[in-house]
Amino acid sequence: MNEPREVRAWIEQAGAPIVPVQGSCSIGRATNNQLVLRDDKVSRKHAVIHRQGENEYWLVDLGSSNGTYLNGRRVAQPVPLSDGAAIQIGSALMKFCQKATDTALSGELADRTLMDIRSANCWLLLADIEGSTELGRAVTAEQLPVITGRWFSNCKQVIEGNGGSINKYLGDGFFAYWPAGEADRGPLLKALTELKQLQTAAQPPFRIVLHCGQVFMGGAPSMGEESLSGPEVNFIFRMEKLAASLQRRCLMSAASRDILGSHLPAEPEGEHAVAGFVGTFEFFAF
């Protein structure tokens, strides 16, 4: 029998039962949300609280018309939450609460992580908004949250609709992954096609980098969300910096190219050093 999960984070609202936050907690007017708010000023899929890391939670607005407010300020991009944070959506006032991680729990989590950890081959994808600072200057304060929020919402639908998972939100981007089996190539290619269609709209302009490799996974499934780590995860984050310096909007590693081959047309981008890694590596623009 599975042991019941301890509630480490939850949402409080006056006159309503607490809502536990396990993994991701969706908020909106639609009845399939974990937290349903019956208010005309609330969008059907309004926002999400996403667990990432052992005791880390982020609030993401999904392009709502009337906005999501954290401690009185409208959320323009994903932001981390802290215990006692005030969230307002429509007329609903809520408080985000989480338990502090004590020393004993940290040791328990570490032991659990060591037992649960495993390695797996994964497709790794990182996307981020280009020139987010300039975008903030080019549009009004009211337009910015809608533009960025709808981008996150659209990308989330593409990733999850094609079998992937968003592992982390990064302020102006996100990190996602898929299993890297033969059967998983089709959904990945479909997701890339749809993301490139979003790129064409350029609202906002964004960059995509793709890598494939062995990662460490584990420790967090019992807490509601996978935890990814290892050199290949570090590599794709360094790849994003390289793509920005090369001014490439779509960049893949040689490991990705070797597997996808002609299924994803690409042009050689040459060999480049990657910060923190020895030697040079071949890359392809797609």
Side-chain angles (χ1 to χ4, degrees), residues 118-122 213-217:
R118 64 197 187 281
S119 63
N121 285 322
C122 288
Q214 190 173 62
V215 302
F216 297 114
M217 307 175 75

Side-chain angles (χ1 to χ4, degrees), residues 8-229:
R8 303 293 307 170
W10 63 94
I11 301 168
E12 294 181 355
Q13 190 177 0
I18 70 165
V19 177
V21 178
Q22 301 278 16
S24 288
C25 176
S26 60
I27 305 171
R29 199 174 71 250
T31 56
N32 60 346
N33 290 287
Q34 277 78 40
L35 176 53
V36 179
L37 300 176
R38 302 189 182 283
D39 184 331
D40 288 341
K41 291 185 177 180
V42 176
S43 301
R44 291 182 57 79
K45 293 288 185 181
H46 195 105
V48 64
I49 295 175
H50 184 79
R51 183 186 182 279
Q52 48 196 57
E54 289 298 348
N55 204 32
E56 183 180 344
Y57 299 84
W58 284 54
L59 176 64
V60 186
D61 181 84
L62 297 177
S64 63
S65 299
N66 293 301
T68 300
Y69 292 81
L70 175 62
N71 297 327
R73 298 185 63 178
R74 186 166 182 173
V75 172
Q77 61 183 31
V79 290
L81 290 169
S82 57
D83 179 48
I87 301 171
Q88 181 172 359
I89 295 177
S91 60
L93 295 173
M94 296 161 280
K95 183 167 75 169
F96 172 79
C97 305
Q98 68 180 116
K99 290 184 179 179
T101 304
D102 57 32
T103 304
L105 178 63
S106 296
E108 179 188 332
L109 286 172
D111 291 342
R112 183 189 303 161
T113 298
L114 287 173
M115 289 188 294
D116 292 345
I117 239 173
R118 64 197 187 281
S119 63
N121 285 322
C122 288
W123 291 106
L124 306 175
L125 183 145
L126 195 153
D128 70 314
I129 296 172
E130 293 183 82
S132 55
T133 302
E134 289 75 11
L135 176 65
R137 296 188 185 121
V139 300
T140 66
E142 292 75 22
Q143 291 172 323
L144 182 61
V146 176
I147 292 171
T148 57
R150 287 180 181 170
W151 178 73
F152 278 108
S153 179
N154 289 335
C155 290
K156 184 174 185 291
Q157 289 180 41
V158 168
I159 299 299
E160 295 177 354
N162 289 290
S165 300
I166 292 183
N167 185 250
K168 290 182 182 293
Y169 289 95
L170 308 166
D172 61 353
F174 62 87
F175 173 50
Y177 70 99
W178 286 257
E182 183 72 22
D184 304 296
R185 188 169 61 188
L188 170 74
L189 290 167
K190 188 170 183 293
L192 291 172
T193 298
E194 293 175 11
L195 287 172
K196 286 175 71 68
Q197 289 171 350
L198 290 178
Q199 274 188 329
T200 302
Q203 290 189 354
F206 65 98
R207 196 168 21 247
I208 304 168
V209 293
L210 179 69
H211 182 45
C212 186
Q214 190 173 62
V215 302
F216 297 114
M217 307 175 75
S222 60
M223 302 294 287
E225 195 67 41
E226 283 285 14
S227 175
L228 271 61
S229 61

